[in-house]
């Protein structure tokens, strides 16, 4: 009898144990967000964020040096108002100043690798490939989207679907895009869709591969925006729903990237609008297993490389608007959504403050710049250069002085002697191909950019109290912001490879990263 009672107790204990285990598993599973957003501001760190908020304050009628004005919610970026904040290191396997390929690999696969390598090991001749968190999520039934303001086969977006030993193998990257099966790609175009980018690259016809793999390519504003309506998710005249879409903006620059936000053509979608379209396409009203969406503000980096603060701020605001779209989605699905925002590295050595302005800030001066350096090069400067030849000095050329004022709000008579000297040297270099400076000095001053244009942005920026120390990436740690289900994972100070691991944990991916292909 006692033996029977003992058996019953054991049976009850086992039942209780497994019931508790089932409850804990169910609770743990319920804690995993169904909808995961990862926003990456390429080249974005604290300086880009603070400069943008100071500009917002000035533009909204406040003063960029008054704390009360700076702290008003309408003068803050949406991303800095997210409740969970952390900080991550950005160096790669062999560089304190990472490049976008190795940093994206850290975010996507959870490994350190060499600069220029995407989702492969750090050996001199990489041979082992790794799966990204987007690929792992897709294998588990989540829909996946990739949105970027640069080309779709650029280094950062590539890390979510491709593995290559060098980011320059753009045709191979685009081939893997076409073979990924991801449900949505949007933003820029495709670089070298039918030719090799460098030695060892493929020469596939990516357009043909996309069609063969069931992708619909859209490249006009109306048809892309139509994806926001559930009834329009199928192509007119065809019964087959558009389950896989590549949405490319109609107007792109020579690198197949979207123009800077400050130059946005009316027929293009903004990064925020493209994010809206991606969400509408990925969201399944019938339930499903959710989605993972990566959104890159890629041209923040390009603007910082060129030391153009206004172009940087314009793309920062466009990026933050895209974050705002996700935050609106979060309001409708607060228990099922995770949003993470960070940068991959800082670019340009941007500083909030300059030797000429000391403790003062004059962000009102930035309001005089109408377009990006790139737009000015292709329009005002191009026309001037074709009209005027080498020989005339800058102070003598009234047309150029007028152009400088119209495009940048800079008045020649308000500049100090050193600024005038620099502009004259840069003007000679741009028009004549030489000046009185040494080659080393010109490399330092212009960094490979058009001398007159980069000098104009430098002078405008320093007048506003913004400085630059580099035309490349820097090695400072970068902030992380998070909101929603399991956002607490992203507090603290950690390595950039930990972001992939934290995202994997949040999405209930139980394999230990990195995961080999």
């Amino acid at each position: 009898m006692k033996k029977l009672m003992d058996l019953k107790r054991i049976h009850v204990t086992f039942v209780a144990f497994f019931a508790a285990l089932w409850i804990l598993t169910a609770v743990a599973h319920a804690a995993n967000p169904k909808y995961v957003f990862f926003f990456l501001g390429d080249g974005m760190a604290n300086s880009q964020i603070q400069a943008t908020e100071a500009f917002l304050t000035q533009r909204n009628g406040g003063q960029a040096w008054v704390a009360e004005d700076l702290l008003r919610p309408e003068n803050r970026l949406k991303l800095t108002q997210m409740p969970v904040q952390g900080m991550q290191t950005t160096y790669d396997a062999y560089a304190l100043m990472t490049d976008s390929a190795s940093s994206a690999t850290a975010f996507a696969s959870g490994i350190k690798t060499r600069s220029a390598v995407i989702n492969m090991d750090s050996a001199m001749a990489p041979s082992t490939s790794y799966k990204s968190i987007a690929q792992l999520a897709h294998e588990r039934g989540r829909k996946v989207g990739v949105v970027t303001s640069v080309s779709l086969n650029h280094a950062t977006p590539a890390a979510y679907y491709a593995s290559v030993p060098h980011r320059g193998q753009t045709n191979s990257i685009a081939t893997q895009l076409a073979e990924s099966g991801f449900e949505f790609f949007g933003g820029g175009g495709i670089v070298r869709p039918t030719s090799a980018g460098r030695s060892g690259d493929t020469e596939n016809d990516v357009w043909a591969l996309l069609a063969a793999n069931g992708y619909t390519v859209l490249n006009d504003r109306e048809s892309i925006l139509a994806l926001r309506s559930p009834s329009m998710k199928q192509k007119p005249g065809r019964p087959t729903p558009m389950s896989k879409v590549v949405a490319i903006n109609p107007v792109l620059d020579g690198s197949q990237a979207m123009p800077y936000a400050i130059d946005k053509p009316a027929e293009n979608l903004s990064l925020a609008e493209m994010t809206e379209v991606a969400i509408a396409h990925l969201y399944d009203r019938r339930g499903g297993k959710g989605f993972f969406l990566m959104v890159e503000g890629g041209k923040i980096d390009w603007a910082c490389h060129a030391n153009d603060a206004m172009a940087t701020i314009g793309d920062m605001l466009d990026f933050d608007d895209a974050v705002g779209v996700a935050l609106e989605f979060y309001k409708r699905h607060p228990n099922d959504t995770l949003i993470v925002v960070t940068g991959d590295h800082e670019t340009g050595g941007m500083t909030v403050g300059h030797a000429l302005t000391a403790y003062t800030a004059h962000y009102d001066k930035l309001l005089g710049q109408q377009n990006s350096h790139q737009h000015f090069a292709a329009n005002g400067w191009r026309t001037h250069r074709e009209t005027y030849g080498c020989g005339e000095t800058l102070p003598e050329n009234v047309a150029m002085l007028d152009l400088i004022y119209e495009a940048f709000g800079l008045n020649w008579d308000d500049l100090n002697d050193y600024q005038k000297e620099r502009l004259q040297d840069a003007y000679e270099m741009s028009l004549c191909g030489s000046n009185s400076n040494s080659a080393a000095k010109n490399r330092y001053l212009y960094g490979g950019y058009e001398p007159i244009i980069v000098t104009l942005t430098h002078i405008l920026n320093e007048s506003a109290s913004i400085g630059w120390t580099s035309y490349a990436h820097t090695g400072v740690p970068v902030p992380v912001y998070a909101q929603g289900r399991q956002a607490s994972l992203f507090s603290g100070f950690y390595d950039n490879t930990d972001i992939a691991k934290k995202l994997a944990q949040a999405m209930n991916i139980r394999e230990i990263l990195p995961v080999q292909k």
Side-chain angles (χ1 to χ4, degrees):
M1 186 70 176
K2 183 177 180 301
K3 188 174 181 180
L4 182 61
M5 291 293 291
D6 288 341
L7 286 173
K8 286 183 177 179
R9 288 194 192 96
I10 292 171
H11 176 73
V12 170
T13 301
F14 268 100
V15 169
F17 171 78
F18 282 110
L21 185 63
W22 182 86
I23 291 170
L24 288 172
T25 302
V27 170
H29 181 72
N32 296 119
K34 188 174 181 179
Y35 310 110
V36 177
F37 296 84
F38 183 59
F39 286 88
L40 198 163
D42 201 313
M44 181 189 79
N46 287 306
S47 291
Q48 285 76 11
I49 292 167
Q50 183 63 79
T52 303
E53 292 194 336
F55 174 81
L56 262 181
T57 300
Q58 197 73 44
R59 191 184 70 178
N60 291 341
Q63 303 293 343
W65 58 88
V66 176
E68 183 179 358
D69 292 346
L70 289 164
L71 289 168
R72 294 183 189 280
E74 64 269 24
N75 298 333
R76 301 273 308 281
L77 292 173
K78 300 173 188 69
L79 60 89
T80 63
Q81 299 180 68
M82 297 169 73
V84 176
Q85 301 181 11
M87 186 75 71
Q88 45 109 354
T89 56
T90 61
Y91 48 82
D92 70 20
Y94 294 101
L96 184 58
M97 284 70 76
T98 186
D99 95 316
S100 291
S102 52
S103 58
T105 295
F107 292 149
S109 297
I111 62 165
K112 295 283 191 188
T113 193
R114 291 181 180 273
S115 294
V117 177
I118 297 176
N119 288 342
M120 297 187 75
D121 62 66
S122 60
M124 287 298 293
S127 58
T128 304
S129 298
Y130 296 93
K131 295 180 181 180
S132 73
I133 50 171
Q135 290 169 319
L136 291 167
H138 202 246
E139 289 175 357
R140 286 153 182 77
R142 289 180 187 258
K143 293 183 178 180
V144 172
V146 174
V147 172
T148 180
S149 57
V150 295
S151 62
L152 294 170
N153 54 339
H154 206 258
T156 298
Y160 291 88
Y161 59 81
S163 296
V164 288
H166 197 284
R167 59 186 289 177
Q169 294 178 333
T170 49
N171 187 267
S172 176
I173 292 170
T175 296
Q176 293 177 67
L177 180 156
E179 295 170 346
S180 68
F182 290 179
E183 285 75 15
F184 187 85
F185 291 94
I190 295 175
V191 173
R192 299 186 187 89
T194 58
S195 61
R198 59 178 283 126
S199 176
D201 198 7
T202 55
E203 296 182 336
N204 296 320
D205 184 340
V206 174
W207 303 121
L209 286 172
L210 285 168
N213 288 311
Y215 280 94
T216 299
V217 178
L218 305 174
N219 61 0
D220 67 276
R221 179 177 173 84
E222 184 180 3
S223 63
I224 296 172
L225 287 176
L227 291 176
R228 293 185 300 188
S229 171
S231 62
M232 295 297 290
K233 284 190 181 181
Q234 80 179 43
K235 200 167 185 178
R238 292 188 184 180
T240 305
M242 290 189 291
S243 60
K244 293 184 289 185
V245 171
V246 176
I248 299 174
N249 263 305
V251 180
L252 303 174
D253 65 20
S255 300
Q256 294 297 299
M258 292 163 55
Y260 288 105
I262 195 174
D263 306 324
K264 178 185 171 295
E267 57 267 47
N268 269 17
L269 280 74
S270 65
L271 195 66
E273 288 174 318
M274 195 63 79
T275 302
E276 287 179 354
V277 171
I279 293 171
H281 187 72
L282 297 173
Y283 179 66
D284 188 346
R285 287 169 173 76
R286 298 167 297 180
K289 295 187 177 181
F291 60 71
F292 172 81
L293 176 60
M294 192 287 294
V295 179
E296 182 202 18
K299 294 202 74 169
I300 298 168
D301 174 69
W302 294 19
C304 290
H305 275 293
N307 293 179
D308 184 344
M310 273 303 292
T312 300
I313 289 167
D315 271 75
M316 281 288 299
L317 292 172
D318 191 33
F319 177 71
D320 192 58
D321 285 344
V323 173
V325 171
L327 288 170
E328 288 301 313
F329 180 88
Y330 164 81
K331 290 178 183 178
R332 299 191 297 272
H333 308 277
N335 297 321
D336 296 315
T337 303
L338 169 65
I339 305 169
V340 180
V341 185
T342 191
D344 52 354
H345 50 72
E346 195 278 335
T347 301
M350 188 185 203
T351 62
V352 180
H354 191 271
L356 292 181
T357 55
Y359 297 103
T360 60
H362 307 284
Y363 277 70
D364 55 305
K365 294 183 181 294
L366 295 177
L367 298 171
Q369 183 175 338
Q370 304 303 311
N371 296 101
S372 72
H373 65 280
Q374 189 176 55
H375 184 277
F376 181 68
N379 294 278
W381 172 247
R382 179 180 177 180
T383 301
H384 182 86
R385 186 180 57 199
E386 291 172 350
T387 303
Y388 296 91
C390 180
E392 194 171 11
T393 64
L394 183 55
E396 297 170 340
N397 194 315
V398 176
M400 185 60 189
L401 297 183
D402 288 344
L403 181 60
I404 290 172
Y405 182 76
E406 291 167 8
F408 294 94
L410 290 171
N411 189 323
W412 176 263
D413 294 333
D414 294 337
L415 304 180
N416 63 40
D417 290 342
Y418 181 48
Q419 291 171 330
K420 292 176 179 178
E421 177 187 322
R422 285 157 58 198
L423 275 177
Q424 175 60 32
D425 287 346
Y427 188 63
E428 289 179 13
M429 190 68 189
S430 287
L431 277 185
C432 306
S434 64
N435 58 18
S436 59
N437 297 335
S438 67
K441 185 175 182 179
N442 283 333
R443 281 196 301 273
Y444 173 79
L445 288 173
Y446 313 132
Y449 288 91
E450 185 68 60
I452 185 63
I453 300 176
V454 75
T455 303
L456 283 166
T457 59
H458 279 166
I459 290 173
L460 175 64
N461 295 172
E462 67 194 33
S463 298
S465 70
I466 294 172
W468 301 93
T469 66
S470 176
Y471 296 102
H473 302 168
T474 64
V476 299
V478 172
V480 183
Y481 305 92
Q483 183 164 334
R485 179 69 72 181
Q486 295 206 5
S488 60
L489 288 171
F490 296 89
S491 65
F493 188 88
Y494 41 83
D495 188 60
N496 57 4
T497 56
D498 291 324
I499 288 181
K501 296 165 188 174
K502 292 173 186 292
L503 285 170
Q505 181 180 344
M507 290 190 286
N508 200 33
I509 296 171
R510 297 183 181 181
E511 292 178 82
I512 298 174
L513 271 61
V515 178
Q516 288 189 26
K517 286 187 177 177

